[in-house]
Amino acid sequence: MGRTRILLIALLALAGLAGPAAAAPRLVPQGWLGVTADGPFDPGDAGEWNRMARSGVETVRVAFRWYLIEPAPGRLDLARTDRIVAAAARRGMAVLPVIENVPPWAATRPGDLAAPPRDPATLGAFSAALVRRYGPRGSFWRDNSRVPRRPIHAWQVLNEPNILGHWSEQPPMPAYVAALRGAAAGIRGADPRATIVLAGLSNESWTALEQIYAAGARGLFDAVAVHPYTRRPVDVLRILRLVRGVMAANGDAALPLWVTELSWPAAQGRPGWKVGIEVGERRQARMLAIAMRKLYRSRRNLKLERVLWYTWISNEVGPSPFDWSGLRRARPGGTVSVPAFEVFRQAARRLRGCAGSARAARCG
């Protein structure tokens, strides 16, 4: 099947997003749709940042890796994160940092990047330092007066603690909640109005969330994050409803949900290990289109505030199926956009009220 036909089928699945062409209202709040940027993403690549902005990315989720930023106590190297924040601000994008990877000097098991901090207060101090740099009163904005002021208001604390590769402490949740408590104290001490986003929960996320509440986490976060990896878009909604049920049962029905990773890797038939959700290029584009439509339609009932595709760019090498998850792919002959890229771009145009409107020229 040709590329044009693949795109046509996928784009037809987006039809439910479109309102009357003449009106073209904005359908979702600013920042609702975005991507994670990791892997081969180069923070200094202006071309990729520009392409990201033109494609409709309004939130970019990026790892702020503690072990790289603070290799020794109190010695901060902020050059990379400064570039990320500046590049996003110049293009009107919000940054969602994921604070993760404990440095050897602070870890319970030095050298294990998935280990919890030995003292949660060290994570709190590091988190506070980031807020004092990039938050509403951050020194970054004073030091870079020519960069459009776009402070970071939301911070995600760690990633997938219910997955052994991301959090090696077992059982995971008591140690995760202790780390979350330390980070929350640091973040709120530096910015009382900050939004603390729970680590994205994958697999049986609703069970993991129950365990987090049982460990005493209620009140330590302002949004619940989920990574609803599953075979079918309809099951994405099922997962989110299960998570919503756990939130309601624990008195947090009013809090929002964030999908901080969502993907169907186009790794079908590729060598390497499998996770059970691999598809081909055509089906990846179609699954993205169907998921966007369903999530848009359910956003109010689910109190869904963010939807972030995983990932912006990936490297088609290695054993992981997620090496084929990017909207953009790094290949030996160069970086290319895959069919899912165009589906994402068209969905973003509709959601932002660009398609068929007088504002279309400003939407890229």
Side-chain angles (χ1 to χ4, degrees):
M1 183 177 292
R3 181 184 175 95
T4 301
R5 182 164 171 77
I6 290 172
L7 286 174
L8 177 61
I9 292 171
L11 292 171
L12 285 173
L14 290 173
L17 296 180
R26 185 176 180 91
L27 302 178
V28 293
Q30 179 79 22
W32 192 84
L33 184 62
V35 296
T36 290
D38 64 356
F41 180 71
D42 177 2
D45 189 337
E48 284 300 325
W49 280 107
N50 290 338
R51 189 174 284 104
M52 196 183 293
R54 290 195 302 269
S55 73
V57 171
E58 293 185 336
T59 295
V60 58
R61 176 176 176 261
V62 186
F64 278 29
R65 302 191 187 279
W66 185 7
Y67 81 104
L68 294 177
I69 297 171
E70 192 178 16
R75 197 180 79 206
L76 299 180
D77 181 356
L78 297 166
R80 184 177 186 276
T81 49
D82 277 3
R83 287 198 298 274
I84 290 168
V85 172
R90 289 187 178 107
R91 293 160 180 84
M93 288 187 276
V95 173
L96 174 62
V98 187
I99 302 171
E100 61 178 331
N101 297 142
V102 181
W105 61 266
T108 54
R109 289 180 296 281
D112 178 2
L113 295 178
R118 188 171 54 254
D119 178 1
T122 59
L123 178 58
F126 175 67
S127 301
L130 292 177
V131 177
R132 289 195 297 269
R133 180 63 176 167
Y134 304 114
R137 294 184 293 175
S139 61
F140 176 85
W141 311 107
R142 295 193 301 272
D143 296 343
N144 298 273
S145 58
R146 294 188 178 183
V147 175
R149 186 178 176 83
R150 197 172 183 88
I152 294 176
H153 294 285
W155 304 85
Q156 190 166 31
V157 181
L158 301 166
N159 185 54
E160 296 184 344
N162 60 324
I163 303 295
L164 186 61
H166 290 283
W167 192 251
S168 57
E169 186 78 9
Q170 297 297 314
M173 295 317 173
Y176 172 69
V177 172
L180 175 63
R181 191 180 304 278
I187 292 167
R188 288 173 173 164
D191 178 11
R193 301 180 68 181
T195 296
I196 297 173
V197 182
L198 198 66
L201 301 174
S202 192
N203 293 350
E204 292 188 2
S205 48
W206 57 96
T207 301
L209 184 59
E210 282 275 21
Q211 295 167 352
I212 286 173
Y213 277 117
R218 186 169 187 265
L220 298 178
F221 54 89
D222 307 295
V224 170
V226 184
H227 298 169
Y229 291 115
T230 186
R231 289 186 177 90
R232 304 181 303 166
V234 67
D235 290 329
V236 171
L237 297 186
R238 177 174 171 269
I239 290 169
L240 297 181
R241 290 186 187 114
L242 287 168
V243 169
R244 267 268 156 235
V246 174
M247 294 169 68
N250 285 275
D252 276 345
L255 292 188
L257 260 179
W258 292 28
V259 172
T260 52
E261 289 185 21
L262 176 69
S263 195
W264 285 273
Q268 192 173 66
R270 308 285 184 181
W273 47 274
K274 305 300 180 187
V275 294
I277 60 171
E278 296 82 5
V279 295
E281 295 286 4
R282 177 181 66 175
R283 189 154 179 81
Q284 182 189 53
R286 180 164 174 77
M287 297 289 254
L288 171 56
I290 294 170
M292 285 295 103
R293 185 184 66 208
K294 289 183 177 297
L295 291 168
Y296 163 71
R297 288 177 172 176
S298 302
R299 70 196 186 284
R300 290 195 176 94
N301 287 339
L302 291 170
K303 294 187 174 67
L304 186 59
E305 285 194 351
R306 296 289 186 281
V307 174
L308 310 182
W309 178 261
Y310 186 87
T311 182
W312 172 254
I313 186 170
S314 59
N315 213 342
E316 290 185 339
V317 297
S320 171
F322 292 100
D323 292 336
W324 280 266
S325 63
L327 300 175
R328 302 260 300 151
R329 307 274 178 76
R331 296 174 176 169
T335 302
V336 300
S337 298
V338 298
F341 171 90
E342 183 61 19
V343 171
F344 181 96
R345 192 182 75 84
Q346 291 291 345
R349 288 180 64 82
R350 286 170 170 79
L351 292 170
R352 293 185 298 159
C354 298
S357 78
R359 293 179 293 170
R362 299 208 306 270
C363 292

